[in-house]
Amino acid sequence: MNFKKALLILLLFSCKILLSQTNAIKIDAHLLDNSDKLRVVQEITFHNKTNTTLNNIYLHNWANSLANNNTPLAKRFLEDYKNTFYFSKDKEKGSTTIHNLLVNYQKVEYNEVINHQDILKIDLNTSLKPNDSIVITANYTVKIPDAKFTRYGKTKTGFHLRYWYLTPVVYENGWQTMSNLNLDDLYMNIANYNINISAPKPYFIESNLKNTLKNNQTTTNFTGNNTKDVIISIDSINKFTTLKTKKTLVKTDLLEDFLDPRVATDIVDRELNFIEDFLGKYPNKEIFIDRNSVGKNSLHDIYGLPKWLKPFPENFRWEMRFFNSLTIKYLDDVLLFNKRKDYWLKDGIQTFLMMEYVKKYYPDITILGKYSKYWGIKSYNISKLKQNDKYQFVYQFSARKFFDQALNVRADSLSNFNRKVVSKYKSGLGFRYLQDFVGDSILKNSFKEFYAKNQLKPTNSLQFEKILTSKTDKNLDWFFGDYISTDKKIDYKIKKVVQTEDSLRITIKNKREMTAPVALYGVKDKKIKFKKWITGVDSTKTITIPKNGFDKLALNYEQLYPEYNSLDNFRKTNNSLLHKPFQFRLYKDVGDPYYNQLFYSPNIRYNLYDGLILGINLNNKPVLAHNFEFSLTPNYSTKSKNLTGGYALGYNHFFKSDKIYKIKYGVSGSNFHYAPELGYNKFSPFVNIQFKRNSLRDVGTKFLLTRLVYINKDIPDSLQISERDKYTIFNVRYVNSKPNVVKRFQYALNAEFGNNFTKFSTDVRYRKEFNRNQNFELRFFGGIFLNNKSKGDYFSFGLNRGSDYLFEQNLFGRSESSGLFSQQFVVADGGFKSNFNQDVFANQLATSVNTSIGIWNWLEVYNDAAMLKNRNQNPRFFYENGVRLNFIPNIFEFYLPVYTNEGFQLNDNYSSKIRFVITTSFDRIYNYIRRGLL
C-alpha cells in the first residue's frame, strides 16, 4: 500500500510539473455587439521549453489579417479569384488595435513583421533562458470582421470566433511564423485556458472549452487544459445540440432538422467505434464540431449528383459529412502538426478512414445512387462507379492533365483543387495501397501507435514513417520517397506473355519513371483466381507463375493504387491483347478497359448561309481524355442543302521540363458556306506549345501557336479566281494572359506570311477593377505590313471589322454588310464598333486604342481612337464613343454608339448600329468559370 501511495504521489507531482511548464492564457473579453468589437485583456505565461536562449518572442495576431487589402490574406483572396474582400467596406473588415503590451509588467518594443501584419515581434528587455518563463500582458481591441470572408466573424445572428486572440508562435528549429491564408492551419502549442466572455445582452455562448461558470446572464467562463485552439460561438439562436454517445459527448451545430437526435446519436456512436478501432480512444470527454470550421476548405464531399435529386439512402449524405467532420476533429484536437508544411498524413488518414467506412457499411452505393439503375443510365460505365471509385477517378483526372502536385509541397503552394481534393485523395489511396501491400493489421497498428505516442505534443509524418517501417520487412522507400515527395506517376503494362506446359512467363513494363510495387492478377469471368505483388520493376521484369484456371491477366485489377492509365492493364494468357469491340456512348462516359469507346453527340449550329446545321460529332474523348484525340463532325445544312462539317486530330505530348507544359501536334479542317451558295474548305496543320504556369496557383496561360492555313473558296461562275479565293498563310502567334481578378493583363504577338504579303501585329489588353461596379479597360492594337503586294483590302487591317480570312471567328453572317448579322462584333484589328462612310482599311499601318470605363455594374462607356495609313497616302484618324452593356466579358455584350468623328449616331434606324457579342465557344465559357479552382 505504501508503494502504491508513493507511486500515486509521484504521478500527481509529475503532472503538476508538466502543467506548470505548459503555456497559460487568461483572457477577459467584453463584446460590444453594437460596434462589432471585442475589448480584450490577455495574459500569456510563456515557457521557454527549448534549449535556446530567446531574445525576442513572436505572437500570431491573426485577428489583424483582415485589416486592409495589403495583408497576406487579402492577397490570397485575389489569388483565389475572389474580390469580395478587396472591394468590401472598412466596416466589414477586421483588425486588432493594441493599446499596450507588457512583458513581466514592463514596457517593451514590439512591431508588426514587415509584410506580415498578423505577426508581432517582441524584443525582450532581458533574455529568456531555457526552462524560464515570462508573463506577457496585452490590452487590445478586436474589430470583428464579417464572417462571409473566412466563415469566422460576425454572422447574421451573432458571432463565430476563431483565431481572435494573440497566441505564441511555436519555436521548433526556429520560430514557425505563418500568416493567415484562410487555410485554418495555425500551428500552435497547447495551453491552459481561462476565458471570461461578457456581452451586453443574453446570448447562447458555446465553445470547445468547458463551461465552468456563468456569473450572470451576460458573462460566461470557459476553462480548458492542454488545448490548442479556442472556438467560441456567440449567437442569439441556440444552434448547438449535445449527443450523448457511449464513448463521449459530441456537441455540434451540424444536426439537421429532418434528423431525429436519437438516430443521429446511433450513427455517431457507430462512427466513433469505427474510428477508435483504427486510431484508439479519443482522450477528451467532449468533441466540439462546429459547421463553419469543419465545412471550410473542402470540396471533399463529391457525391456525383446534387442533393435535391435525393439519389442516396436516407441520412447517407449527413452521415458521410459528419464522419468526415468527426475524423477531422479526432485528429486535429489531439495531434499537433504543422499542417502548412506537413499535411499529407492527417489528410491521408482522414480519407482512408472514409474509404474504409464506406467499404464496410455502404459498399454498393454508386456515385449516381439510385439513378444508376434507371433506364438510359444503367448501361453507362459511370453508373457502375462505387463511392470509393471516385478517389482513383478524380486523381486520374488531375494526373492526366499533369495538374497534380507532390504531397510534400507546402499547403499554401497547392492549387485549390489539389489542396481540397486531389492531394487528400492521393494520400488516402496511398494508405489503401500500403494496407494491401504490407497487411491490414500492420497499418492499423501503426496508426494506433502513432496516435497514442503523439497526443498533445508536436509531431510530424517522419514519426509515423519510423513506426510503420519498424513493423514490416518490406522496403517502403518508394512510398516515403517518390510517392510522397514527387509528382511521378505509377504506370505499368503487361508487355508479353509466354506459355509453357504448366506456367506463364510474364514480362511487365514500367512506362514511367516511378518504381513501385505492382499487383498482378489472374482473372476469369471477372473473378480473381490469382494475385501477387511484384516489386523492383524499374524498366521491365519477367516473372514466372503457375497456370491456375484463369484466362486473363491484369495489373491493379482492384484499383488499389492510383495509376496514370489503367486501361492498358489487361492481356490474355495466350499473349493476345483483349479483343476490344467498339462501344458507342452518347455524350461522355468513363473509360472501359474492355472496349474501344467512341462518343457521339448531336451537333447543332447556325449561320446565315447554311441555315440550321444539323449533324453528329464523333470523338474518342472520354471523361479522362487520351493523349491522342480525334473529332469528326459531319453535318447537313438545311438551307444550302449540302453536307458540311469539320474534323480535328491531335496528339498531346506532356513534358516534365520547367518551361513547357505540353505540345499539341495536329491537323484540323472544315467546310461551310461563307456567302449564299458559296462554300469554303479550310485545312490547317498546327503545332501548339503551351508553357507552364509559374505555379498551379497561377490562373494565367502562355502559348505559342504555329500553323499553316490553306483556304480554298468557291467563287461565282462569272468571276475569275483571285488571290483572295485560294491562298496559304503561315501564322505564328504568341499569347500571354494573366487574368487577375482585379488587374487583368494580356498581350498577343502575331505574324502572318502570305503569298503576297508579310504582316506583324500586337494586341495588348489591360483591365482594372476599382470596385464591384466600376472598372477601366484598355486595349492597344498595332499592325504593320513589312511588304504588301496584295490587291484590294481583303488582307488589310480593318477598323471595325476585318475579313477574318483565316476563318477562325464564329460569325453568323461573315459576308454581310447590312442587317442583324452584320452587327455581330468580334474584337479584332482596330476594335471599332461604329460604321463609317469612308474607307476603313489600312494596307500599310494601323494603330488603335480602345477604352472602356465602368459606370455601374455592367454599364460602361467606351471611347476609341485610331490611325489608319495606306501606301502613298496620308494617315487618317478616327474617333468614337458610346455605351457598352458588358453582362459577361467577351461572352455576352452589347455596344450602343453615340458619337463618331462623322457626327452623332442617335438618328433614324439606330437599331441597325447596335453591335453585339455572343459566344458559343465552350472553351471560353469553361475558362471563365474555372478561374480560381484548378
Side-chain angles (χ1 to χ4, degrees):
M1 289 293 294
N2 292 333
F3 173 76
K4 291 183 178 179
K5 287 182 178 180
L7 181 61
L8 179 61
I9 292 172
L10 180 63
L11 288 173
L12 291 173
F13 183 71
S14 298
C15 291
K16 184 176 181 180
I17 292 175
L18 182 63
L19 286 173
S20 67
Q21 292 179 343
T22 301
N23 294 341
I25 296 178
K26 183 179 180 180
I27 296 175
D28 288 310
H30 180 67
L31 175 67
L32 305 175
D33 57 359
N34 59 341
S35 58
D36 303 333
K37 292 181 180 180
L38 274 176
R39 286 183 179 173
V40 180
V41 176
Q42 180 175 351
E43 181 181 282
I44 303 171
T45 303
F46 176 82
H47 294 269
N48 183 2
K49 293 181 284 187
T50 74
N51 296 320
T52 304
T53 298
L54 304 176
N55 294 313
N56 46 58
I57 300 290
Y58 286 85
L59 299 179
H60 282 129
N61 180 23
W62 278 21
N64 201 48
S65 60
L66 291 154
N68 54 56
N69 289 340
N70 297 316
T71 67
L73 180 55
K75 295 174 182 177
R76 180 79 175 192
F77 286 141
L78 297 183
E79 287 182 14
D80 290 340
Y81 226 76
K82 299 174 181 177
N83 61 11
T84 304
F85 179 78
Y86 189 88
F87 294 130
S88 64
K89 300 176 181 178
D90 288 341
K91 67 178 182 180
E92 296 177 305
K93 292 179 167 64
S95 61
T96 303
T97 302
I98 298 178
H99 306 300
N100 62 66
L101 192 151
L102 308 175
V103 172
N104 290 336
Y105 310 104
Q106 296 180 353
K107 292 184 178 182
V108 291
E109 292 290 330
Y110 64 92
N111 295 284
E112 292 179 355
V113 175
I114 297 174
N115 297 325
H116 295 274
Q117 295 88 332
D118 51 2
I119 302 174
L120 290 175
K121 179 184 178 183
I122 303 174
D123 296 323
L124 300 178
N125 296 331
T126 304
S127 297
L128 181 63
K129 296 179 179 180
N131 300 319
D132 283 352
S133 65
I134 58 173
V135 176
I136 304 171
T137 307
N139 187 329
Y140 57 94
T141 301
V142 174
K143 167 64 177 65
I144 303 174
D146 194 303
K148 65 183 177 182
F149 306 126
T150 65
R151 295 197 181 187
Y152 307 128
K154 183 182 179 180
T155 65
K156 293 181 179 179
T157 56
F159 303 88
H160 196 81
L161 305 180
R162 191 179 186 188
Y163 309 129
W164 54 277
Y165 56 94
L166 301 176
T167 59
V169 174
V170 175
Y171 190 95
E172 188 178 277
N173 298 320
W175 292 105
Q176 300 299 308
T177 58
M178 55 178 66
S179 284
N180 186 5
L181 298 179
N182 202 29
L183 305 179
D184 285 5
D185 59 350
L186 180 59
Y187 186 35
M188 62 179 79
N189 277 316
I190 59 172
N192 300 325
Y193 286 90
N194 189 329
I195 298 177
N196 290 308
I197 296 285
S198 62
K201 62 183 180 182
Y203 278 100
F204 294 98
I205 304 179
E206 300 288 353
S207 175
N208 59 329
L209 299 179
K210 182 180 179 181
N211 185 341
T212 58
L213 178 67
K214 183 173 287 188
N215 296 327
N216 50 54
Q217 292 298 311
T218 58
T219 301
T220 305
N221 176 257
F222 292 102
T223 61
N225 290 332
N226 298 322
T227 303
K228 67 166 184 172
D229 186 13
V230 176
I231 300 172
I232 293 181
S233 172
I234 305 173
D235 211 292
S236 58
I237 300 174
N238 188 7
K239 296 181 179 180
F240 282 83
T241 301
T242 299
L243 304 177
K244 298 181 180 180
T245 71
K246 297 176 182 178
K247 298 291 182 182
T248 185
L249 298 178
V250 178
K251 184 182 292 185
T252 182
D253 61 348
L254 280 174
L255 201 63
E256 304 290 354
D257 293 337
F258 62 81
L259 190 61
D260 189 315
R262 291 172 297 179
V263 174
T265 301
D266 291 340
I267 292 173
V268 174
D269 203 44
R270 182 172 76 176
E271 293 178 341
L272 284 169
N273 285 330
F274 185 87
I275 297 172
E276 183 178 306
D277 185 51
F278 277 87
L279 298 180
K281 289 186 178 181
Y282 183 76
N284 301 331
K285 294 181 179 180
E286 181 180 278
I287 302 178
F288 183 85
I289 301 177
D290 64 302
R291 182 186 303 267
N292 288 355
S293 297
V294 298
K296 185 180 168 185
N297 285 307
S298 178
L299 292 175
H300 198 69
D301 302 333
I302 298 177
Y303 296 112
L305 289 177
K307 183 177 180 180
W308 56 269
L309 287 175
K310 298 181 179 180
F312 303 114
E314 186 179 11
N315 302 330
F316 174 77
R317 279 183 186 268
W318 184 88
E319 183 174 348
M320 294 299 100
R321 184 184 183 192
F322 202 88
F323 182 86
N324 181 52
S325 304
L326 195 60
T327 309
I328 291 173
K329 300 297 289 186
Y330 211 95
L331 295 167
D332 279 354
D333 288 353
V334 176
L335 301 176
L336 307 186
F337 278 103
N338 185 339
K339 293 188 289 183
R340 187 156 303 180
K341 294 181 178 179
D342 195 7
Y343 55 84
W344 72 264
L345 178 59
K346 183 191 76 69
D347 285 352
I349 294 174
Q350 174 191 331
T351 305
F352 174 75
L353 290 182
M354 175 69 80
M355 296 165 69
E356 291 297 296
Y357 186 83
V358 169
K359 183 171 72 173
K360 182 174 182 179
Y361 294 109
Y362 298 99
D364 298 322
I365 299 294
T366 66
I367 64 172
L368 300 184
K370 66 182 181 182
Y371 295 99
S372 294
K373 299 179 181 180
Y374 279 36
W375 180 88
I377 298 177
K378 63 182 180 180
S379 62
Y380 278 72
N381 300 319
I382 195 171
S383 70
K384 301 175 179 61
L385 289 182
K386 301 295 193 293
Q387 281 292 322
N388 277 349
D389 293 331
K390 69 187 177 186
Y391 301 98
Q392 171 87 300
F393 180 78
V394 171
Y395 167 77
Q396 283 189 336
F397 172 82
S398 181
R400 291 278 187 89
K401 296 178 179 292
F402 285 75
F403 288 157
D404 59 316
Q405 294 170 276
L407 295 178
N408 66 346
V409 172
R410 287 175 57 96
D412 53 351
S413 297
L414 294 172
S415 71
N416 285 340
F417 191 57
N418 284 338
R419 180 174 58 83
K420 296 179 180 181
V421 182
V422 177
S423 293
K424 293 176 184 285
Y425 285 10
K426 183 183 177 183
S427 304
L429 287 167
F431 284 130
R432 187 170 71 175
Y433 197 173
L434 287 176
Q435 179 189 39
D436 202 272
F437 181 64
V438 304
D440 179 57
S441 61
I442 291 177
L443 184 65
K444 183 183 291 187
N445 290 335
S446 298
F447 284 154
K448 286 185 175 181
E449 183 175 336
F450 178 78
Y451 192 77
K453 285 185 174 180
N454 293 279
Q455 291 186 2
L456 300 177
K457 62 181 181 180
T459 188
N460 54 59
S461 56
L462 291 177
Q463 302 303 315
F464 175 76
E465 179 182 350
K466 291 177 182 178
I467 292 173
L468 180 60
T469 53
S470 70
K471 295 182 182 297
T472 179
D473 295 330
K474 295 183 178 181
N475 189 335
L476 300 182
D477 290 347
W478 58 271
F479 181 81
F480 293 105
D482 283 348
Y483 190 89
I484 299 298
S485 302
T486 74
D487 59 357
K488 293 179 180 179
K489 279 76 173 169
I490 301 172
D491 196 9
Y492 290 92
K493 72 178 235 181
I494 299 174
K495 183 179 180 181
K496 185 172 63 173
V497 179
V498 177
Q499 291 198 57
T500 63
E501 184 176 344
D502 59 354
S503 62
L504 299 171
R505 287 175 53 82
I506 304 166
T507 301
I508 300 173
K509 180 180 179 181
N510 187 345
K511 295 164 60 181
R512 294 193 172 269
E513 65 273 25
M514 180 173 173
T515 302
V518 56
L520 174 66
Y521 297 82
V523 181
K524 185 173 184 179
D525 298 327
K526 297 187 177 181
K527 293 183 179 180
I528 299 172
K529 302 294 184 180
F530 170 85
K531 178 180 177 182
K532 183 178 182 179
W533 281 100
I534 313 298
T535 59
V537 187
D538 55 355
S539 56
T540 61
K541 185 173 184 177
T542 301
I543 64 167
T544 301
I545 65 171
K547 292 182 178 178
N548 195 20
F550 49 83
D551 57 3
K552 294 184 182 69
L553 294 165
L555 302 177
N556 198 19
Y557 185 75
E558 297 175 282
Q559 297 290 295
L560 293 173
Y561 47 88
E563 193 169 10
Y564 178 78
N565 179 19
S566 56
L567 295 180
D568 58 355
N569 285 359
F570 295 81
R571 206 174 187 99
K572 289 186 176 180
T573 55
N574 61 7
N575 196 42
S576 65
L577 296 173
L578 290 181
H579 173 63
K580 293 185 177 183
F582 282 102
Q583 182 186 70
F584 290 89
R585 285 283 186 258
L586 180 64
Y587 292 110
K588 294 282 188 182
D589 198 2
V590 297
D592 190 324
Y594 297 102
Y595 292 94
N596 289 308
Q597 294 175 306
L598 292 176
F599 305 96
Y600 64 94
S601 60
N603 183 264
I604 303 175
R605 301 178 60 179
Y606 177 84
N607 71 53
L608 183 61
Y609 318 114
D610 289 300
L612 187 64
I613 304 170
L614 304 175
I616 187 170
N617 174 259
L618 187 67
N619 65 78
N620 71 331
K621 302 175 184 178
V623 178
L624 300 178
H626 303 301
N627 284 0
F628 173 74
E629 301 173 340
F630 78 84
S631 175
L632 177 65
T633 310
N635 293 321
Y636 177 74
S637 299
T638 57
K639 185 175 182 179
S640 64
K641 309 296 183 184
N642 288 323
L643 291 176
T644 56
Y647 61 89
L649 296 90
Y651 180 80
N652 294 297
H653 183 187
F654 292 91
F655 288 82
K656 291 289 294 180
S657 72
D658 293 334
K659 300 296 182 182
I660 297 177
Y661 168 58
K662 74 173 180 179
I663 298 180
K664 185 171 185 177
Y665 315 89
V667 62
S668 64
S670 60
N671 169 259
F672 291 100
H673 286 78
Y674 72 94
E677 299 183 358
L678 297 175
Y680 72 90
N681 288 290
K682 177 181 177 181
F683 174 74
S684 178
F686 64 88
V687 176
N688 190 349
I689 303 174
Q690 186 171 342
F691 298 95
K692 284 188 176 180
R693 294 179 274 175
N694 295 330
S695 73
L696 286 180
R697 292 192 53 76
D698 183 4
V699 295
T701 183
K702 295 179 287 187
F703 67 85
L704 176 66
L705 173 66
T706 59
R707 57 180 173 168
L708 271 174
V709 182
Y710 298 91
I711 303 294
N712 189 357
K713 297 162 56 179
D714 294 338
I715 60 174
D717 294 336
S718 59
L719 298 179
Q720 292 184 345
I721 191 169
S722 67
E723 62 178 6
R724 60 184 292 171
D725 301 319
K726 187 175 182 180
Y727 49 89
T728 302
I729 294 176
F730 177 62
N731 177 222
V732 179
R733 180 177 297 168
Y734 175 76
V735 176
N736 189 321
S737 176
K738 180 71 174 178
N740 185 280
V741 70
V742 173
K743 296 179 181 179
R744 185 171 68 221
F745 180 73
Q746 171 184 309
Y747 67 91
L749 305 174
N750 192 69
E752 295 176 10
F753 305 87
N755 296 332
N756 297 316
F757 69 88
T758 301
K759 62 192 293 189
F760 287 87
S761 63
T762 184
D763 185 315
V764 182
R765 305 185 189 194
Y766 173 81
R767 181 182 176 91
K768 165 70 175 176
E769 305 284 344
F770 295 108
N771 54 47
R772 295 175 186 174
N773 299 318
Q774 292 182 317
N775 59 74
F776 171 73
E777 192 167 340
L778 171 69
R779 174 181 179 264
F780 170 80
F781 172 80
I784 186 172
F785 281 90
L786 298 186
N787 66 75
N788 187 4
K789 299 178 182 178
S790 63
K791 299 178 180 179
D793 287 317
Y794 186 69
F795 299 109
S796 296
F797 297 114
L799 178 68
N800 54 9
R801 186 176 184 180
S803 60
D804 187 33
Y805 49 83
L806 294 179
F807 288 88
E808 57 186 349
Q809 304 292 352
N810 184 20
L811 298 174
F812 298 123
R814 63 176 57 250
S815 297
E816 298 304 293
S817 58
S818 62
L820 176 64
F821 293 109
S822 69
Q823 296 171 236
Q824 184 181 2
F825 177 69
V826 175
V827 180
D829 290 1
F832 269 55
K833 296 83 185 174
S834 304
N835 293 318
F836 290 82
N837 296 322
Q838 56 182 305
D839 179 29
V840 290
F841 291 96
N843 59 25
Q844 183 180 14
L845 177 66
T847 60
S848 69
V849 175
N850 312 120
T851 64
S852 180
I853 300 175
I855 303 299
W856 174 83
N857 204 356
W858 36 259
L859 179 64
E860 302 175 11
V861 172
Y862 68 85
N863 291 272
D864 302 329
M867 184 275 290
L868 302 182
K869 173 73 168 64
N870 283 323
R871 295 190 302 269
N872 303 318
Q873 294 183 14
N874 292 326
R876 290 169 293 134
F877 297 90
F878 298 84
Y879 170 78
E880 68 168 355
N881 62 32
V883 176
R884 178 187 185 187
L885 305 180
N886 187 10
F887 297 112
I888 305 177
N890 302 316
I891 295 176
F892 185 56
E893 307 176 15
F894 288 92
Y895 292 88
L896 288 69
V898 174
Y899 182 81
T900 72
N901 49 291
E902 293 184 347
F904 282 99
Q905 302 297 299
L906 304 174
N907 47 33
D908 295 339
N909 201 24
Y910 180 74
S911 61
S912 65
K913 301 177 181 181
I914 297 173
R915 306 292 294 274
F916 63 87
V917 174
I918 297 178
T919 185
T920 57
S921 169
F922 174 79
D923 288 341
R924 182 174 292 180
I925 297 172
Y926 168 75
N927 287 332
Y928 179 83
I929 295 173
R930 79 170 179 87
R931 292 167 184 166
L933 177 62
L934 295 183

